[in-house]
Amino acid sequence: MSTITAPAGVAGTASALRRLYFVRFAFAIIWALIMVPTASKLSPVVVALLVLYPLFDVGAAVYDAKVSRGTGSTKLLYVNVAVSLVTAVGLGIACASGIPAVLRVWGAWAIVAGLVQLIVAVPRRTMGGQWPMILSGGISVLAGGSFVASAAADKPSLTSAVGYAIPGAIFFLISALRLGRAAKGN
């Protein structure tokens, strides 16, 4: 069993977050590429992928909290862990009710997770690379509202959920690239 230790100082935290953001970018892109051809109905593969996305967010938030211990409060990251765990369970249950229920759960999660991301990123902006996270958090809140609203459409679709992952991935990539300077201690 390996343990994760908090990196020393801002440069260490920036370096760890940079790695995390690259991984989050890759995961979201791969997830979206798998979902695009399968998202027309709630098949077992789609259900598994829908539940996997917030579970991946749980792991990312736990890692973020571990590596960010020395740079500020991690309470909101643990709130995100709890919210994402509840979301994974909620999505599993919602899938039995259909796409509208999935969109409502996905939307609620996007709103709460976006708020957490925004609130966590604002104090981190002195580290660098956080403006994309601030923008992403704000956009997530708006997107969440649109997912909830789209659940009432005549033919609701999971396409918007898939589309949600792609801009998020791009924001993680931009943030990772921008954290390069802070990770080098500059």
Side-chain angles (χ1 to χ4, degrees):
M1 182 167 151
S2 66
T3 59
I4 300 169
T5 58
V10 172
T13 301
S15 180
L17 288 177
R18 185 172 197 244
R19 286 189 303 275
L20 174 63
Y21 292 172
F22 278 129
V23 169
R24 291 193 74 160
F25 162 75
F27 174 82
I29 292 295
I30 292 167
W31 182 88
L33 288 173
I34 295 169
M35 279 290 285
V36 165
T38 62
S40 61
K41 62 182 179 146
L42 289 172
S43 68
V45 170
V46 170
V47 171
L49 287 168
L50 286 168
V51 171
L52 177 63
Y53 201 93
L55 289 177
F56 184 83
D57 196 52
V58 167
V62 168
Y63 178 81
D64 189 335
K66 297 278 187 203
V67 302
S68 300
R69 284 192 295 235
T71 61
S73 175
T74 57
K75 290 177 186 168
L76 279 175
L77 292 169
Y78 288 112
V79 166
N80 193 51
V81 167
V83 168
S84 292
L85 281 172
V86 168
T87 298
V89 172
L91 284 168
I93 294 168
C95 284
S97 296
I99 290 175
V102 170
L103 288 170
R104 287 182 192 101
V105 173
W106 192 269
W109 174 56
I111 291 167
V112 175
L115 283 172
V116 169
Q117 182 178 14
L118 177 66
I119 295 167
V120 167
V122 168
R124 286 181 173 176
R125 70 187 183 283
T126 57
M127 181 188 321
Q130 294 304 302
W131 281 106
M133 295 295 91
I134 292 168
L135 291 171
S136 178
I139 291 169
S140 183
V141 171
L142 297 174
S146 76
F147 300 149
V148 172
S150 72
D154 288 337
K155 288 189 171 194
S157 167
L158 293 174
T159 306
S160 58
V162 175
Y164 171 73
I166 295 168
I170 292 167
F171 281 120
F172 276 115
L173 176 62
I174 293 167
S175 191
L177 294 171
R178 294 188 52 91
L179 275 170
R181 187 178 307 162
K184 293 176 185 164
N186 296 332

